Every structure is written in structure tokens, then in C-alpha cells.
Amino acid sequence: MKKGFPEGFLWGGAIAASQADGAYNQGGKGLDTQDLRYFDAAWTKEERAMYKNRRINGEKYKKALTDNDTVHYPFRWGIDFYNHYKEDVKLFAELGIKVLRTSINWARIYPNGDDEMPNEEGIQFYIDLFDECHKYGIKVFATILHYNIPVNLVEKYGGWKNRKTIDFYVKYATTLFERLGNRVDYWLPFNEFNAGRFNPYNGVCLVEDQEPDYVNAIFQCLHHQFIANALTIKAGHEILPGSMIGGMIARFTTYPATCHPDDVMQMILDDQYSNWFYLDVMARGKYPAYIERYFDKENIQIKKEAGDDMILSENTIDFTAFSYYFSQVSTTKQGWEKTAGNLIMANKNPYLETSEWGWQKDPVGLRITLNQIYDRYQLPVFVAENGLGAKDILEADGTVHDPYRIDYLKTHIAQMKEAVIDGVDLLGYTMWGFIDIVSCGPMEMSKRYGVIYVDRDDEGKGTNKRYKKDSFYWYKKCIECNGDIE
């Protein structure tokens, strides 16, 4: 019987290029869709909730295309990881992480998305970054697409609505396999696949008020992404035999609000439509019957080409991955109290505490999720994201005291350990935003996840200097003792 985390367990941290790199106009990079998201640090709390840009509209999109401002576009400056990666990786090595999950920016490799040849300066950046990781014995977990695609693909082709985007994406992924393959240990074609349904601008780059049939367009884009994902797995396995290529969702763990059978049935449906559908296609290689019923009920009609079903069935993922931040309840009752969550508004569970941003903290839900996913697919699992967003205070002496984050990590890792003892084949844990980055949803620096503090505010002002929080030292000890934190 297992007693805890296996030897060689991959403790790590995760970031996204769009939220960390900055340098949006350096190194030959093209404009990408995340570069267009507008934020004003002067907004009140109420205005931030109203304008947080989860649903970008045509007017804001068009203005951003020609706006050279950087202050109001936080993803254009991030934490300037692009120019500070050497000192940051050195800090990561001091922390003791075994794996770094980061994304590769498509617009840095193919600035327009449809370029004939890749941008060599962009490729060299990732060669240098990954070599720097390996210098310290840190493995690389590369996300091929973490939301942002080159703007030109949206302008010229309509983005993921157009099947041509599959070819552009597979060409991009193939370039990564050929040029960076020996430097990457784990590959993830798409971040949080179900984001396309619940945050369509980020996930599938759709502008809502530009779509006559928004929901149908979402599922058509998702189908194209499923095919791109499968063809990428095919190319990766051919170019890099034995490579590990996974599939990821944002996990919305849900419980029935009551033991009434209707609530239990609603929980099953919510799980299917919000979570399992995406992993079922990637891991089992076909559209499940329940989604065909859903499509029929909602009059959703997606266009497939001959051979699509075979492409999906022959090219399934090698491991599963998910982000986990909160849980919710499912109910048929109207008027149930809502609270915030990753990508969605959730039904509130009265037994759980919430974070400053309203996300419900549920460590046991992580164990539940790990058991559910492993039982369903019998594939190795990666906890690709998990963490607590909070407002941290940098003291005059350069310290940051964040006991709330230590408690969050401690309780979640303890439940993760229980899941391993349960028999879950868990590969690793990459804590989300382990160095402070621009938060994806609200676009604020002040919503901090890291164990490393970055001195920048919501306007991008500050020294950009890095500081170790109390949680840095706690996580370092956790890694050193391989999660034996009791």
C-alpha cells in the first residue's frame, strides 16, 4: 500500500506566457488575442466586476487592434519574464521545483499564424529558457496554446471558426516538436479545453456581438480544436516516439445541493456538459451519446468532415490534466445563491469558506476530483493548476506574510496525498502562478497567486523586483520532504 507521494514526484509551478512574458513587441512577436484585453486600474470595485472583459465586444476589439497603449493592456507588460527569465529560473531552482509548466506563445513562433517560416528569434528564446531550466535540473511541461492566438488568424480567417486554423495550428505544433522536442518532457496542446465554452474569447477567440449564432459557433470552434488536438498528438508521437501528450480541463467539481434525485441528476448533467465531454473526446476518442442528445435538444449543428471521427479515435491523450480552484453544487431549484469561480459563476455551497474573490475553498474536492478522473480514464494525472488568489502586502523589510496561502497549499496537498494513497497515478503538481503574474480573469496584478512576490501594481508600476513570501519557504520545505507535511 502506498504511504505517500512516489519518489520522483514532480513538484512544480505553472505560468502562462501571456500573463508573465510581457515584451509584446519584442523579439519579432506578433500581436495576439490576449494583447487586446483592456483594463483600467482606476475602475472601482463595482466597475471592475462590470468591465472585467470576459466578454470582449467588437468595439473594444477594434480599438485595441490599433492602440499602442501598454498601461491599459496588462498582458502586454506582464512581469517581463521574457527579459528576466534567467534570474527567475534561478529563483525557481532555489525553491526546488522539479518541473516548470509554461506556455509557448504562438505569435512569438509564427507572428501572423500563417507565416511560411517560423520566427527564429522566438524559437531561440524558448531554447534558451528550456536550457536554463535543464541547467538546474528542472523538467519542462510545455503548453502549446494557453488561450492566445495570433490576431491575424482572427482577422484574416475568423480564427477557430475556420477549419484552416487547424492546419496553421498543427504546423505550429509540428515546428515545436521538431525544434524544441528534446527539451520538453510533457506536452499539453490546449489549456483548459472547456474554457472555449465558458470563456469563449479566451478559449476559442470569439467576439460575442460579432456572432449571429454564438453558441453554435462555440461548439464548431471546439470541434476544430478537438481535431487540431488529435492531429497534434499524431504528429508528436511520430516525431517524438514515446512523448507524453496530455489533455486538460478546468475542473468544476460539483455536488448535489440536496439528496433529492433531481439534484443528483442535475449534478450528473452538469458534470457531463461542463467537464467530462471534453476529456471524453480526448481520452476515449469519440463524442459521447449524452452530448449528441444535448446538441439535438439545443439545436446545435456542427460540421464534421469525412475522417474526423477516425482522427479522434486513433489519437487519444497519454495523460489527463486539470486546474482545480473551487467546487460548487448542482440543483434544479431557482434562486440558489451564486458565488464566483474560475471561468464561471457557481452555485454556493453553504459548508465552504470563500476566498477574497468569492471562490470556494474545498481541499477534499481535490481528492474527489483526482479519484473521479483516474477512475474514469485510468490514465496518469497531472494537477496542472491549483492555488489561491489573494491580496498580499509587501512589508518595508521586503517580507510578505501569507499564512492564508500556506494553509491553502497545506490542506490541498494533504488531500492530494490521500488521493495517491487511494491509488491515483499522480504524475505531478504545478502550483498556479507560483510567481506573481497578471491574473487572467480580472487582469489585476493585485490578485496574487505566487510564493514569489513581484513588485508591480495594477498599472504596471513598481520596481518589478522579486521577493520571497513566507509561502516560498513553506513550499520549499514541502518539496524537500516530498509532501510529507504532517
Side-chain angles (χ1 to χ4, degrees):
M1 181 178 173
K2 295 178 181 178
K3 300 297 182 183
F5 295 101
E7 185 178 346
F9 184 77
L10 296 174
W11 297 99
I15 56 175
S18 60
Q19 295 166 251
D21 286 4
Y24 87 105
N25 57 359
Q26 289 181 238
K29 179 186 171 296
L31 202 65
D32 70 59
T33 48
Q34 292 295 88
D35 290 330
L36 305 186
R37 295 179 61 199
Y38 183 93
F39 171 78
D40 190 340
W43 284 338
T44 64
K45 183 178 180 181
E46 290 72 27
E47 287 172 326
R48 290 186 185 207
M50 187 186 308
Y51 301 134
K52 60 185 174 183
N53 214 11
R54 291 194 173 210
R55 297 290 189 263
I56 192 169
N57 61 34
E59 181 183 355
K60 287 186 281 189
Y61 176 86
K62 289 176 182 176
K63 180 179 184 297
L65 281 173
T66 56
D67 195 342
N68 293 320
D69 173 25
T70 55
V71 173
H72 294 96
Y73 296 91
F75 299 111
R76 298 185 182 186
W77 41 262
I79 60 168
D80 200 23
F81 180 70
Y82 181 82
N83 292 303
H84 291 265
Y85 74 88
K86 286 190 176 181
E87 64 191 76
D88 286 340
V89 171
K90 187 177 180 180
L91 256 182
F92 302 164
E94 182 184 342
L95 178 60
I97 65 167
K98 311 299 181 185
V99 61
L100 171 67
R101 178 182 170 229
T102 188
S103 62
I104 297 170
N105 194 313
W106 188 348
R108 208 172 276 290
I109 305 300
Y110 286 101
N112 299 297
D114 62 353
D115 310 79
E116 184 66 28
M117 300 297 292
N119 170 32
E120 290 296 328
E121 196 171 351
I123 290 174
Q124 191 60 49
F125 168 71
Y126 290 105
I127 289 173
D128 293 342
L129 169 60
F130 297 164
D131 282 352
E132 194 70 15
C133 289
H134 290 147
K135 185 172 84 174
Y136 293 102
I138 299 171
K139 292 181 182 293
V140 174
F141 182 179
T143 306
I144 296 174
L145 186 62
H146 196 125
Y147 296 156
N148 50 335
I149 78 171
V151 165
N152 178 63
L153 292 182
V154 178
E155 290 295 287
K156 191 173 178 180
Y157 303 97
W160 285 108
K161 287 184 297 181
N162 193 327
R163 197 172 172 101
K164 288 182 179 179
T165 301
I166 298 173
D167 297 329
F168 296 132
Y169 176 85
V170 174
K171 178 181 177 179
Y172 157 59
T174 299
T175 299
L176 300 185
F177 294 144
E178 292 173 342
R179 302 293 299 277
L180 302 172
N182 63 336
R183 292 174 165 86
V184 175
D185 301 276
Y186 296 89
W187 295 94
L188 183 68
F190 290 88
N191 176 71
E192 293 183 330
F193 212 105
N194 49 344
R197 177 69 181 93
F198 298 101
N199 195 328
Y201 180 74
N202 283 353
V204 291
C205 306
L206 288 180
V207 180
E208 185 172 4
D209 63 357
Q210 306 299 299
E211 298 300 327
D213 190 342
Y214 188 48
V215 175
N216 206 91
I218 288 169
F219 283 101
Q220 186 63 58
C221 288
L222 284 167
H223 178 69
H224 291 156
Q225 287 190 341
F226 280 132
I227 299 300
N229 187 77
L231 290 174
T232 295
I233 292 169
K234 182 176 187 291
H237 286 165
E238 289 173 353
I239 297 167
L240 303 166
S243 55
M244 293 286 286
I245 307 174
M248 177 187 175
I249 61 166
R251 176 60 175 145
F252 309 136
T253 300
T254 187
Y255 315 125
T258 70
C259 55
H260 193 289
D262 288 348
D263 283 351
V264 177
M265 190 66 234
Q266 188 61 49
M267 179 207 72
I268 291 173
L269 294 174
D270 288 345
D271 246 354
Q272 289 176 336
Y273 301 150
S274 301
N275 294 273
W276 300 138
F277 162 51
Y278 306 89
L279 279 179
D280 280 354
V281 174
M282 291 188 283
R284 293 175 167 173
K286 64 179 181 180
Y287 277 69
Y290 60 77
I291 206 69
E292 301 290 358
R293 176 177 178 172
Y294 176 79
F295 285 171
D296 182 64
K297 178 186 175 185
E298 301 297 327
N299 195 29
I300 295 166
Q301 299 176 352
I302 61 172
K303 296 178 183 177
K304 292 184 180 181
E305 287 193 1
D308 279 3
D309 290 340
M310 185 174 292
I311 289 170
L312 294 176
S313 68
E314 292 181 347
N315 302 286
T316 54
I317 56 179
D318 301 311
F319 66 91
T320 61
F322 64 93
S323 59
Y324 178 83
Y325 295 101
F326 72 102
S327 67
Q328 61 181 337
V329 299
S330 294
T331 182
T332 59
K333 296 179 177 63
Q334 299 299 310
W336 196 275
E337 185 180 355
K338 301 282 187 179
T339 189
N342 178 30
L343 299 175
I344 64 170
M345 291 299 292
N347 287 326
K348 192 170 184 179
N349 186 331
Y351 297 100
L352 299 176
E353 296 179 355
T354 59
S355 72
E356 292 176 70
W357 271 263
W359 297 18
Q360 299 207 282
K361 294 183 279 188
D362 181 11
V364 176
L366 179 53
R367 180 184 179 185
I368 291 169
T369 288
L370 283 164
N371 274 276
Q372 289 173 327
I373 288 180
Y374 187 63
D375 286 348
R376 191 176 183 95
Y377 303 109
Q378 292 293 295
L379 290 171
V381 188
F382 232 114
V383 179
E385 293 182 24
N386 172 245
L388 176 69
K391 291 182 179 178
D392 298 326
I393 298 173
L394 179 64
E395 304 290 351
D397 62 358
T399 59
V400 178
H401 306 302
D402 56 343
Y404 38 86
R405 183 168 293 107
I406 292 171
D407 180 68
Y408 183 96
L409 292 172
K410 182 184 293 185
T411 53
H412 282 75
I413 288 170
Q415 291 298 320
M416 197 164 64
K417 180 178 178 180
E418 292 298 321
V420 172
I421 298 171
D422 292 337
V424 174
D425 183 6
L426 186 58
L427 293 171
Y429 171 82
T430 47
M431 176 194 174
W432 177 249
F434 73 123
I435 180 171
D436 290 345
I437 54 178
V438 176
S439 186
C440 184
M443 295 180 286
E444 299 168 335
M445 271 301 298
S446 54
K447 186 183 183 185
R448 300 176 181 273
Y449 283 85
V451 299
I452 300 169
Y453 186 95
V454 178
D455 185 24
R456 272 199 159 161
D457 63 16
D458 289 343
E459 295 180 86
K461 295 178 180 177
T463 64
N464 206 33
K465 187 177 176 182
R466 278 62 162 151
Y467 297 88
K468 301 166 198 170
K469 304 179 189 179
D470 288 353
S471 57
F472 178 98
Y473 300 102
W474 183 89
Y475 192 37
K476 178 179 172 67
K477 288 180 180 177
C478 174
I479 295 171
E480 286 172 350
C481 68
N482 198 29
D484 188 13
I485 52 178
E486 297 170 11

